[in-house]
Amino acid sequence: MELRVDRTPKKSRPQLVVTFGQRMKAARELNGWTQLKAARLIGYVNSSKLNRIELASDTNSFPIWLPPKAAEVYQVSCDFLLGLTDAWECNHTAALQSQIAQAIQQSQLGQDNAIRQLYNLVSCIESAVSINLQKNTEFKDLVVRFRCINPGFDTELKLGAKLLRMADEASREAVKVSRQLAEYRDSIKPQF
């Protein structure tokens, strides 16, 4: 018995036939078999029919007996051959475990990417804080130098002492923030 499919232009072939052909080839390659060996195990005399199926070049006929036979020979599920699942395992439990493992791996990749992005952001902020620390230190040094050049800085200059204290506090705070950011960066550093 054959499943009849209307002849359609190559670009609009039924997706099932194309998918089935791709999956047949993938299943054969999973086993490491040549087309000839696989064709004989499936029941064909030579590999020409299997080649046409794998390439989806013969969309006029699709043997209905082929999916279960190929699944048995290749030791894959019919669902895989028909494109209903990406899990090739015959055993439902193994297929489910494979899907769960794949979902965990994708989740871990997402987490790894988020950690990388966070690390890069913290590094960028740390760089900006480092520049700010440098400028605060330069400002404090400038105020101290100005104080030395102007003997009346503490007594005659209004808010002179406060200016010096604020420059000192800003410099200490920038050092503190810089250390905290370095600790944060080191704590989230990707281990890849």
Side-chain angles (χ1 to χ4, degrees), residues 114-125 185 188 190:
I115 289 171
R116 277 190 193 100
Q117 288 175 347
L118 182 59
Y119 177 80
N120 290 339
L121 285 172
V122 169
S123 294
C124 188
I125 293 169
R185 185 204 62 229
I188 61 169

Side-chain angles (χ1 to χ4, degrees), residues 54 87 112 158:
E54 286 182 0
D112 291 347
K158 289 184 180 181

Side-chain angles (χ1 to χ4, degrees), residues 3 13-21 62 81-83:
L3 176 65
R13 285 187 192 142
Q15 187 58 43
L16 176 63
V17 174
V18 173
T19 300
F20 183 71
F62 183 89
L81 291 175
L82 296 172

Side-chain angles (χ1 to χ4, degrees), residues 148-189:
C148 290
I149 294 171
N150 296 291
F153 181 86
D154 292 330
T155 57
E156 297 174 14
L157 185 63
K158 289 184 180 181
L159 301 175
K162 186 172 184 175
L163 179 63
L164 182 60
R165 188 181 78 243
M166 293 299 288
D168 188 47
E169 287 176 10
S171 184
R172 278 187 298 204
E173 195 62 33
V175 167
K176 183 180 168 184
V177 170
S178 181
R179 286 182 185 147
Q180 286 177 331
L181 278 171
E183 288 175 17
Y184 293 153
R185 185 204 62 229
D186 291 343
S187 72
I188 61 169
K189 188 172 187 175

Side-chain angles (χ1 to χ4, degrees), residues 59-94:
T59 58
N60 193 30
S61 64
F62 183 89
I64 199 161
W65 58 266
L66 186 56
K69 178 67 177 175
E72 178 186 333
V73 170
Y74 291 141
Q75 291 297 298
V76 298
S77 70
C78 283
D79 287 350
F80 171 77
L81 291 175
L82 296 172
L84 301 175
T85 180
D86 289 334
W88 58 267
E89 296 90 348
C90 293
N91 181 326
H92 179 69
T93 303

Side-chain angles (χ1 to χ4, degrees), residues 2-5 17 49 52-53 58-63:
E2 303 249 343
L3 176 65
R4 295 284 176 194
V5 180
V17 174
K49 181 66 177 170
R52 288 195 307 272
I53 290 169
D58 186 6
T59 58
N60 193 30
S61 64
F62 183 89

Side-chain angles (χ1 to χ4, degrees), residues 98-171:
S98 175
Q99 289 174 339
I100 290 170
Q102 191 175 35
I104 289 171
Q105 184 180 20
Q106 288 175 343
S107 173
Q108 286 173 337
L109 286 175
Q111 289 173 355
D112 291 347
N113 287 337
I115 289 171
R116 277 190 193 100
Q117 288 175 347
L118 182 59
Y119 177 80
N120 290 339
L121 285 172
V122 169
S123 294
C124 188
I125 293 169
E126 184 183 20
S127 177
V129 167
S130 177
I131 291 168
N132 183 275
L133 173 61
Q134 180 185 353
K135 296 299 179 186
N136 275 330
T137 303
E138 290 174 10
F139 178 69
K140 180 183 170 193
D141 292 345
L142 185 64
V143 170
V144 169
R145 188 167 158 227
F146 184 79
R147 181 180 183 205
C148 290
I149 294 171
N150 296 291
F153 181 86
D154 292 330
T155 57
E156 297 174 14
L157 185 63
K158 289 184 180 181
L159 301 175
K162 186 172 184 175
L163 179 63
L164 182 60
R165 188 181 78 243
M166 293 299 288
D168 188 47
E169 287 176 10
S171 184

